């Protein structure tokens, strides 16, 4: 990490900021989902489909796997189960859906393909 007053370090940080801004702009223009966007949708699909098929035992095993991975990363086990259970409750009992990401927009030509 660059120290204050380190001219080469300041230049590297400025270049990094420019690269990040260009990257974010390209991703926004492409309307490319991030890893987190895909993960959120995947989790929603797994939870809602498991519940709809009355596969709650499968959902419980999936929750155990997720919590085990979170604990490996340093998260609290009890709190992780609570967070997972709250998501299941939102998705299944409350019918929670994702909000539209208004910053993405719907004006690109690919949208016609999405409607079919």
């Amino acid at each position: 990490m660059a120290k204050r007053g380190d001219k080469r370090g300041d230049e590297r940080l400025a270049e990094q900021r420019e690269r990040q801004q260009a990257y974010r702009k390209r991703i926004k223009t492409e309307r490319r989902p991030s890893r987190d966007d895909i993960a959120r949708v995947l989790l929603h699909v797994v939870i809602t489909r498991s519940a709809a098929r009355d596969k709650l035992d499968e959902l419980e095993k999936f929750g155990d796997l997720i919590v085990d991975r979170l604990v490996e990363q340093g998260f609290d086990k009890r709190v992780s189960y609570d967070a997972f259970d709250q998501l299941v409750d939102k998705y299944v009992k409350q019918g929670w859906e994702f909000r539209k990401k208004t910053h993405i927009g719907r004006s690109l030509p690919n949208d016609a393909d999405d409607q079919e």
Side-chain angles (χ1 to χ4, degrees):
M1 179 165 212
K3 296 180 182 179
R4 279 189 189 193
D6 178 5
K7 190 172 183 177
R8 281 192 299 168
D10 291 344
E11 289 172 3
R12 277 198 320 265
L13 289 175
E15 289 171 1
Q16 183 180 7
R17 270 193 298 275
E18 289 176 22
R19 282 193 305 272
Q20 275 296 322
Q21 287 173 346
Y23 171 77
R24 286 188 206 105
K25 183 177 181 181
R26 181 175 55 88
I27 294 301
K28 184 176 180 180
T29 300
E30 292 175 357
R31 294 173 45 194
R32 182 181 178 88
S34 71
R35 177 190 64 188
D36 291 341
D37 293 323
I38 293 169
R40 280 192 301 273
V41 170
L42 175 62
L43 183 59
H44 184 268
V45 167
V46 168
I47 290 172
T48 56
R49 285 196 176 174
S50 294
R53 291 193 226 143
D54 204 23
K55 300 274 188 176
L56 298 180
D57 58 328
E58 183 179 286
L59 182 57
E60 189 174 323
K61 288 178 186 176
F62 187 68
D64 291 342
L65 178 62
I66 289 172
V67 169
D68 288 345
R69 297 278 175 97
L70 290 169
V71 169
E72 287 173 9
Q73 294 178 30
F75 292 96
D76 179 88
K77 188 173 190 170
R78 184 185 52 78
V79 176
S80 296
Y81 271 116
D82 186 48
F84 182 78
D85 291 343
Q86 285 179 357
L87 280 177
V88 171
D89 187 55
K90 278 184 182 179
Y91 294 167
V92 175
K93 294 179 183 174
Q94 298 174 22
W96 189 82
E97 294 289 335
F98 294 104
R99 291 184 187 173
K100 181 178 177 182
K101 291 193 168 190
T102 56
H103 67 281
I104 295 174
R106 299 293 293 170
S107 60
L108 295 179
N110 293 356
D111 291 338
D113 296 338
D114 294 344
Q115 300 297 323
E116 296 175 2

